[in-house]
């Protein structure tokens, strides 16, 4: 079921990019602006992630719940709630309170939040690097080296779709790290596509095709993405949905009675 909203977001991202380039030049901005539909969808997805994980941890049998998994789960709940608050600057624009003088001096957008204390390019790089290593590279290598990966490892489909989400930023290749990064991303997508075609698993084939569609569509629209720089909002929405899917799959896997609690 989770594939449907994820694929819808990918298709809409391509449609908005193409529509902005060839038709309505303000479309991307209106969709991804502050307090716009994508931002609020991300906030709702973060809160849904917190509720989903918190509820599943509460009902999960105690003998199926390793201490580290419980700790990580509740940490994810706290992180999701914190990220939701950060996304809307803790309601600053809703309630109309002003930014303190100190925060105005150090916050890049003069808002009441912490994530804008870091330059956007650096913050984006940290996110992409972390997700690329944790959700794509490590699972890919692990699955190719072992027939029994740990249950917390993201599924092949989640890894592939996370790679597709990272491609939302693929047009950035002005620096050497970005050039190396895009080559690694394309190589991983090519490897995933070959594996999908060999296995003939429909979800993997569709996911790999979605990656190539995203790559071509957003590269074609890279000039308007550089101007507006709002595709990050779309990527964040996809990341949150995929994080919720991964957390749910992991907790479900630890409920299986025929597997050891490793």
């Amino acid at each position: 079921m989770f594939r449907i909203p994820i694929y819808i977001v990918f298709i809409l991202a391509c449609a908005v990019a193409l529509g902005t380039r060839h038709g309505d030049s303000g479309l991307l901005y209106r969709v991804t602006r502050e307090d716009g539909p994508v931002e609020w969808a991300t906030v709702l997805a973060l809160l849904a992630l917190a509720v989903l994980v918190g509820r599943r941890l509460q009902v999960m049998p105690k003998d199926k719940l390793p201490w580290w998994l419980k700790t990580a789960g509740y940490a994810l709940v706290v992180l999701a709630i914190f990220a939701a608050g950060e996304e809307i600057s803790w309601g600053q624009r809703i309630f109309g309170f002003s930014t303190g003088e100190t925060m105005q001096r150090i916050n890049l957008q003069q808002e009441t939040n912490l994530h804008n204390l870091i330059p956007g390019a650096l913050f984006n790089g940290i996110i992409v690097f972390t997700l690329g290593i944790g959700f794509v590279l490590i699972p890919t290598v692990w699955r190719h080296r072992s027939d029994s990966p740990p249950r917390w490892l993201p599924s092949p489909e989640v890894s592939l779709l996370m790679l597709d989400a990272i491609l939302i930023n693929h047009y950035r290749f002005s620096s050497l790290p970005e050039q190396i990064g895009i080559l690694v991303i394309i190589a991983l997508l090519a490897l995933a596509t070959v594996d999908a075609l060999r296995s003939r698993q429909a979800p993997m084939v569709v996911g790999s095709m979605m990656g190539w569609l995203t790559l071509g569509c957003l590269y074609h629209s890279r000039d308007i993405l550089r101007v507006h720089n709002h595709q990050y909002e779309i990527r964040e929405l996809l990341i949150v949905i995929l994080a919720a899917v991964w957390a749910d799959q992991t907790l479900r896997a630890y409920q299986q009675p025929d597997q050891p609690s490793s």
Side-chain angles (χ1 to χ4, degrees):
M1 292 296 292
F2 78 89
R3 301 185 190 105
I4 296 176
I6 292 175
Y7 290 152
I8 288 175
V9 174
F10 273 116
I11 293 171
L12 288 178
C14 292
V16 168
L18 293 175
T20 303
R21 178 181 172 86
H22 298 289
D24 183 353
S25 61
L27 179 60
L28 178 63
Y29 170 75
R30 291 197 303 274
V31 171
T32 59
R33 63 179 173 81
E34 297 288 348
D35 298 320
V38 172
E39 181 171 82
W40 275 106
T42 303
V43 172
L44 293 176
L46 283 164
L47 295 177
L49 167 59
V51 172
L52 170 70
V53 175
R55 176 59 179 166
R56 193 165 290 283
L57 288 171
Q58 287 293 319
V59 302
M60 193 170 177
K62 301 302 180 184
D63 60 332
K64 302 293 184 183
L65 195 61
W67 68 268
W68 62 265
L69 182 62
K70 181 178 180 180
T71 302
Y74 282 117
L76 182 59
V77 170
V78 173
L79 178 62
I81 295 173
F82 178 80
E86 283 281 295
E87 190 71 12
I88 58 173
S89 297
W90 302 100
Q92 180 175 13
R93 293 180 296 275
I94 299 173
F95 302 108
F97 60 85
S98 60
T99 305
E101 293 184 5
T102 301
M103 189 64 74
Q104 284 186 4
R105 289 196 302 269
I106 62 177
N107 189 285
L108 299 176
Q109 293 186 356
Q110 289 76 53
E111 295 179 342
T112 306
N113 57 48
L114 297 179
H115 68 278
N116 284 325
L117 300 180
I118 304 174
L122 176 59
F123 187 71
N124 172 70
I126 292 173
I127 291 176
V128 170
F129 183 81
T130 302
L131 293 173
I133 296 294
F135 274 82
V136 182
L137 188 58
I138 290 177
T140 299
V141 172
W142 206 316
R143 282 191 293 267
H144 278 80
R145 293 174 61 90
S146 173
D147 294 329
S148 56
R151 283 172 283 172
W152 49 262
L153 203 70
S155 68
E157 188 175 7
V158 169
S159 292
L160 177 55
L161 291 174
M162 187 64 79
L163 179 64
D164 294 349
I166 292 174
L167 280 171
I168 299 289
N169 286 59
H170 79 278
Y171 69 92
R172 299 179 61 91
F173 48 84
S174 56
S175 66
L176 180 59
E178 290 167 347
Q179 293 168 359
I180 295 174
I182 186 59
L183 291 177
V184 172
I185 290 172
I186 292 176
L188 288 170
L189 180 59
L191 176 62
T193 303
V194 171
D195 287 344
L197 293 174
R198 284 177 176 174
S199 66
R200 298 182 181 180
Q201 296 180 13
M204 297 298 293
V205 173
V206 174
S208 61
M209 294 303 103
M210 187 64 67
W212 293 113
L213 173 65
T214 303
L215 183 68
C217 173
L218 297 186
Y219 182 80
H220 175 68
S221 305
R222 64 192 181 280
D223 52 343
I224 64 102
L225 293 176
R226 281 195 175 113
V227 171
H228 293 288
N229 209 32
H230 285 280
Q231 76 289 350
Y232 296 157
E233 301 289 342
I234 300 172
R235 181 206 61 193
E236 288 172 4
L237 175 58
L238 288 166
I239 288 171
V240 173
I241 298 174
L242 286 165
V245 173
W246 167 66
D248 185 59
Q249 288 181 347
T250 299
L251 292 173
R252 286 178 181 273
Y254 275 86
Q255 285 183 303
Q256 299 302 317
D258 57 340
Q259 298 184 30
S261 298
S262 59

